[in-house]
Amino acid sequence: LAAYKAWGTACFEKMRGMWAIGIYDTQKQELVICRDRLGIKPPYYHAQENRWLFFSEIKQVVTTGIVSPKANLQAVKNYFDSGFENSRSSFFDNIQQLPAGTYIQLSLQNNNNTIQPQSYWNPEHIEPVEQTRKQSVEQFRELFFDSVNIHLRSDVPVGCQLSGGMDSGSIIMAMHHIQQGSGNISTFSSIFPGYERSEDVFINSVLRHIKADAHFSTPAPDEFMHDLNAFVATHDEPVG
């Protein structure tokens, strides 16, 4: 709110992380809705007959009875064709998503609003810079460690998923480096005893180099089927 007060909608260009934000500007009598750069958080909306609804979960608006849970057949078809969901629409008729990296402004004094998303992030407009491989490596390392360091800011203990792959292993080793081994890192891994492709060996190779409170789960097919309905209900829609 302090950033919005200082810079208005230009504050979104300065923000990091993932978000779906709704701001009611009492001075301008405007409603501002914004979605993070990559669309990780979904702000849904329903617009019909001068009535605007914004919500973070589809089940919220469906339970009101205002919007009927009717399938968006085109979205369903596209999902079966590609295996991925569309970040602009939803699987329900009359429920859309604000596109990633955009915001909208709606006047509360005007009944003729139309949703016109305005982009605040356009990486294709960044001018390319030529540099050596060494410079690129050093720049990537600096940005990577800076990102991990920012994600360590928390009022509660921070944990990390450890799959045994390069991504999670790199993140955990960066955490270990930044914290200078000052405390144990809570790690969470899924393993499959007896399965030839279980990643235990890679997970353990990381754990040998850090102080960790390691937690393991052993998912099984029958457990997945038992949890499938709850999984779908939580997500509201299929996921890629």
Side-chain angles (χ1 to χ4, degrees):
L1 289 176
Y4 177 80
K5 183 177 181 180
W7 297 299
T9 54
C11 72
F12 302 133
E13 301 172 20
K14 306 175 185 293
M15 292 167 55
R16 294 190 185 188
M18 52 184 179
W19 65 81
I21 299 174
I23 299 174
Y24 170 36
D25 189 326
T26 57
Q27 295 182 343
K28 295 183 178 179
Q29 284 295 294
E30 283 185 346
L31 182 64
V32 180
I33 308 291
C34 180
R35 189 175 189 180
D36 62 74
R37 290 173 177 80
L38 298 179
I40 301 172
K41 293 293 185 182
Y44 295 101
Y45 66 89
H46 165 77
Q48 199 169 28
E49 298 177 355
N50 295 326
R51 177 163 56 188
W52 304 83
L53 303 175
F54 295 92
F55 38 97
S56 58
E57 294 186 64
I58 292 174
K59 65 174 68 67
Q60 293 172 322
V61 72
V62 169
T63 55
T64 66
I66 295 174
V67 181
S68 299
K70 182 180 178 182
N72 178 345
L73 296 181
Q74 185 60 51
V76 173
K77 178 183 182 301
N78 292 343
Y79 179 76
F80 280 120
D81 286 344
S82 68
F84 293 94
E85 65 275 28
N86 187 326
S87 62
R88 290 174 176 260
S89 63
S90 80
F91 285 84
F92 295 83
D93 271 346
N94 297 317
I95 294 179
Q96 285 79 39
Q97 297 187 56
L98 190 66
T102 68
Y103 67 90
I104 57 172
Q105 295 170 283
L106 296 175
S107 171
L108 301 183
Q109 298 174 316
N110 183 359
N111 291 328
N112 298 317
N113 281 298
T114 58
I115 288 187
Q116 296 178 321
Q118 301 182 61
S119 175
Y120 64 87
W121 186 60
N122 299 281
E124 66 274 14
H125 295 166
I126 297 174
E127 290 293 329
V129 177
E130 291 190 22
Q131 56 189 23
T132 66
R133 176 184 175 85
K134 182 180 179 181
Q135 289 173 323
S136 297
V137 169
E138 291 176 348
Q139 183 182 26
F140 178 85
R141 183 182 187 279
E142 180 182 346
L143 292 171
F144 178 70
F145 271 71
D146 185 47
S147 178
V148 173
N149 190 37
I150 286 175
H151 280 79
L152 289 174
R153 296 175 184 169
S154 176
D155 296 325
V156 296
V158 176
C160 189
Q161 180 263 353
L162 174 57
S163 69
M166 183 177 291
D167 293 353
S168 63
S170 299
I171 291 171
I172 286 175
M173 295 310 296
M175 292 170 64
H176 176 71
H177 178 84
I178 292 168
Q179 295 176 338
Q180 296 294 318
S182 60
N184 287 11
I185 299 173
S186 294
T187 65
F188 300 85
S189 307
S190 292
I191 59 174
F192 304 89
Y195 178 51
E196 62 180 7
R197 295 185 182 178
S198 184
E199 296 180 309
D200 312 44
V201 61
F202 306 112
I203 292 169
N204 290 331
S205 69
V206 174
L207 292 175
R208 282 195 295 269
H209 290 85
I210 65 173
K211 292 191 294 184
D213 291 325
H215 303 268
F216 298 92
S217 65
T218 53
D222 54 344
E223 293 176 352
F224 176 75
M225 294 307 297
H226 179 267
D227 293 335
L228 182 59
N229 286 338
F231 174 85
V232 173
T234 299
H235 279 275
D236 285 334
E237 302 183 280
V239 294

